[in-house]
Amino acid sequence: MKIGIFDSGIGGLSVLHEAYHYLPEQNYIFYADTEHVPYGLKTPEQILSYSIGITEFLLERGAEAIVVACNTATSVAIKELRKRYSIPILGMEPAVKPAVEGTDKKRIMVIATPVTIREDKLKDLLHRVDEHHRVDLLPMPRLVEFAERAEFDSEEVLDYIKKQFEPYNMEEYCALVLGCTHFNYFKPAYRQIFGDETLLIDGNHGTVKHLAEVLGIELSKAPDNVVIFDDVHKMLEQSKTEYFYSGKPITSETELEHLKILHNRLENVRKK
Ligand code: DGL
């Protein structure tokens, strides 16, 4: 099965990475729209038009299912994409439901892009699941920028995150929901602020599980060492993935090396 996975940038790599863990037998086309990142600061019309263009690109290359590995694009475009195309198209939304259902009493913080926070999709979700009004929403657009330049642990990153959380009393929170796929890279920084008790919840495993269900494939766990890549050739060979940046195939050793570093980062922060 050939599965297309797209995002505005390298956030979607975290979903692909989770797929390597649980659906290692599949073929993938990964598309990062690096020419247009960040989507979180674009208009809904722009995001919809990029999403349609990318979906057509992936279909032309034989994708049999598509994962919109971007909460922002999902909130704006998923309905229209499903209306236009007949293959399975899966979206992502902040994992508020498991956060609310898996905890009680204390508050839940959702971080996402400004578009995701503004759009009705998240409001509707909260209306359905946040009965006791325990959820707070906080936009963190600069994390997308930091992630795109692979700056994950700098003082500037930590200062930015601290500053955004400053108005809140961290003791009141039991869970932090990562409502943007780019935010997965910063788990060690959140840990420094929230401590070990707080749950960090992302939607990646849920998405891959859902993908398997929709496609009627069994989840099968890859050996852990397969998901740490020593070199780019091993990465390409083992993962059976074609990588694209805004329609251009990624073939240069330098770019592939960068993707390998990002995969290894994702592997290291996965269980934080
Ligand atoms: N990674 C995307 C998300 O999950 C959006 C990042 C951006 O381009 O602003 O929302």
Side-chain angles (χ1 to χ4, degrees):
M1 189 75 88
K2 205 174 204 183
I3 300 160
I5 297 186
F6 82 85
D7 181 32
S8 61
I10 56 150
L13 209 65
S14 66
V15 181
L16 177 66
H17 192 83
E18 189 69 18
Y20 288 169
H21 270 270
Y22 289 95
L23 297 173
E25 305 300 325
Q26 307 309 313
N27 294 288
Y28 297 96
I29 317 177
F30 176 75
Y31 188 116
D33 195 8
T34 44
E35 266 173 32
H36 299 122
V37 67
Y39 281 8
L41 301 174
K42 299 282 191 306
T43 66
E45 292 73 23
Q46 286 172 309
I47 299 166
L48 178 61
S49 134
Y50 303 146
S51 302
I52 291 171
I54 297 169
T55 303
E56 306 227 327
F57 180 94
L58 294 172
L59 286 171
E60 274 165 30
R61 271 154 195 81
E64 294 158 274
I66 289 177
V67 179
V68 183
C70 175
N71 296 260
T72 310
T74 300
S75 58
V76 171
I78 198 80
K79 269 198 197 144
E80 183 59 30
L81 294 180
R82 287 185 180 141
K83 222 188 284 168
R84 284 178 184 235
Y85 309 104
S86 56
I87 61 162
I89 300 183
L90 282 78
M92 293 193 75
E93 62 184 9
V96 175
K97 196 165 183 267
V100 171
E101 287 171 356
T103 60
D104 60 358
K105 296 204 184 83
K106 284 181 107 181
R107 301 199 65 74
I108 293 158
M109 178 75 78
V110 177
I111 53 175
T113 68
V115 170
T116 302
I117 289 180
R118 244 185 347 251
E119 284 294 310
D120 287 344
K121 197 165 189 305
L122 181 55
K123 293 197 188 99
D124 293 346
L125 175 67
L126 290 179
H127 189 70
R128 271 182 283 131
V129 305
D130 185 22
E131 247 182 275
H132 302 291
H133 304 289
R134 294 161 59 209
V135 175
D136 293 310
L137 305 177
L138 182 62
M140 287 228 187
R142 283 204 69 201
L143 287 186
V144 177
E145 197 190 297
F146 286 126
E148 285 299 318
R149 51 175 202 253
E151 185 178 335
F152 305 123
D153 301 304
S154 71
E155 225 156 276
E156 210 185 329
V157 166
L158 209 58
D159 285 350
Y160 172 69
I161 297 176
K162 274 188 188 148
K163 205 159 187 296
Q164 303 310 299
F165 287 135
E166 219 163 53
Y168 302 88
N169 176 2
M170 292 298 110
E171 313 255 292
E172 289 176 11
Y173 291 85
C174 60
L176 175 69
V177 175
L178 311 182
C180 168
T181 48
H182 279 78
F183 295 178
N184 285 289
Y185 293 95
F186 303 96
K187 287 181 179 174
Y190 313 132
R191 270 281 161 251
Q192 281 194 40
I193 297 163
F194 281 91
D196 289 339
E197 298 295 296
T198 310
L199 293 171
L200 299 184
I201 304 177
D202 66 68
N204 289 353
H205 188 65
T207 301
V208 171
K209 207 165 148 241
H210 187 202
L211 177 65
E213 279 159 18
V214 168
L215 300 180
I217 321 173
E218 293 275 311
L219 282 186
S220 59
K221 185 137 175 31
D224 282 339
N225 62 359
V226 165
V227 197
I228 295 171
F229 301 111
D230 301 334
D231 62 63
V232 296
H233 303 286
K234 200 165 151 194
M235 176 179 82
L236 289 177
E237 193 187 313
Q238 284 175 346
S239 67
K240 294 175 280 177
T241 306
E242 298 160 70
Y243 288 97
F244 292 90
Y245 282 153
S246 294
K248 291 181 216 68
I250 305 176
T251 46
S252 87
E253 199 86 5
T254 325
E255 283 175 328
L256 289 168
E257 180 66 23
H258 185 62
L259 288 177
K260 185 205 83 183
I261 291 168
L262 294 175
H263 273 300
N264 287 346
R265 165 87 188 179
L266 289 164
E267 185 58 26
N268 289 330
V269 302
R270 212 171 145 256
K271 295 284 179 209
K272 293 273 177 207

